[in-house]
Amino acid sequence: AAASSLLPPAIASLDLHLPASACAVPSTAALEALVAHLAPTLRDVALEIGDCAAAAFHLVSTACGPRLRRFRMRARGPPMRPGAECSGLEELDVGNADDGSLQALAAHCPKLRRLSVLWPQFSLPGLWSLAAGCKGFTELRLPLAGRPTAVDLVAFARRCPTLTVLEADAMLIFDQDALSNLAAAAPGLETVSLPRPSAVTAVALCRLAARAPALTTLTLGA
């Protein structure tokens, strides 16, 4: 608390990375004092301080309220449940989220535009809630394998006309038909990064280009 009082109060962005050793993880009281000191101007927060993501998010969002625009903390732990205090949130990058997390985002974070989840546990109902509640949503990034399925993502894209970026590099199944259906469902896509579909043909790629004229980046991984 004493150290945090030495920081200038007009800080808008906090990026706190500490070693993984237990002795380096700040106490809840220390983190609370730091955030409370910066809260009047704090808008962007990125933390790498252990596996207390849900608790840290609650602490930060409660202190900052609707001023909070971006929060990043990729850690394991219980899925987050954003509340009404997060109404200004535009970007969320977290380790864990389920259907309840997406439903809470839809209910309380109408300005959300970008979501990245390292270990996704959500399915189609959560995605549909997100599309219905966050009308300006543009980017969904799922860098590791897990739920949802390719069919779920196509159905989500169909209900999210503002979607421009979709990254799901480690999905286990994303075949050529799903790729074609995705382009038909979301013609505004600009960036797509997916596992390599089996037997991609030139015809399929031409069809993709025709259906998604805004596409500028296509990555089909191994």
Side-chain angles (χ1 to χ4, degrees):
S4 65
S5 65
L6 300 177
L7 294 171
I11 291 178
S13 181
L14 173 65
D15 194 340
L16 182 60
H17 293 250
L18 298 176
S21 60
C23 62
V25 177
S27 67
T28 300
L31 183 60
E32 187 173 3
L34 173 63
V35 172
H37 180 69
L38 302 177
T41 56
L42 197 58
R43 294 165 54 92
D44 303 338
V45 177
L47 302 176
E48 190 174 318
I49 56 173
D51 292 334
C52 55
F57 178 71
H58 177 72
L59 189 158
V60 170
S61 60
T62 300
C64 296
R67 290 184 300 277
L68 185 65
R69 294 292 181 266
R70 298 173 185 85
F71 182 87
R72 181 184 188 276
M73 185 173 179
R74 291 184 167 185
R76 292 187 181 275
M80 298 180 182
R81 295 290 187 272
E85 68 278 1
C86 304
S87 60
L89 193 67
E90 298 175 2
E91 183 174 342
L92 184 62
D93 187 345
V94 294
N96 193 1
D98 59 9
D99 284 333
S101 306
L102 268 57
Q103 289 161 0
L105 287 168
H108 303 300
C109 308
K111 297 180 181 179
L112 188 73
R113 299 179 58 192
R114 294 176 289 276
L115 175 65
S116 178
V117 181
L118 203 55
W119 299 286
Q121 301 178 40
F122 45 79
S123 56
L124 190 54
L127 286 168
W128 277 353
S129 295
L130 187 69
C134 305
K135 300 297 186 182
F137 191 82
T138 60
E139 298 182 18
L140 180 62
R141 302 177 190 269
L142 310 172
L144 295 183
R147 302 165 68 187
T149 67
V151 173
D152 292 341
L153 290 179
V154 171
F156 167 68
R158 193 170 287 118
R159 293 200 180 191
C160 187
T162 54
L163 189 67
T164 60
V165 176
L166 176 62
E167 294 185 1
D169 297 301
M171 292 196 65
L172 299 180
I173 300 175
F174 208 103
D175 60 22
Q176 185 166 284
D177 290 339
L179 182 63
S180 179
N181 292 337
L182 177 65
L189 281 171
E190 299 173 3
T191 299
V192 175
S193 182
L194 299 168
R196 182 182 300 164
S198 58
V200 177
T201 65
V203 172
L205 292 177
C206 289
R207 187 182 299 120
L208 173 65
R211 289 180 171 180
L215 190 65
T216 58
T217 302
L218 174 63
T219 303
L220 301 179

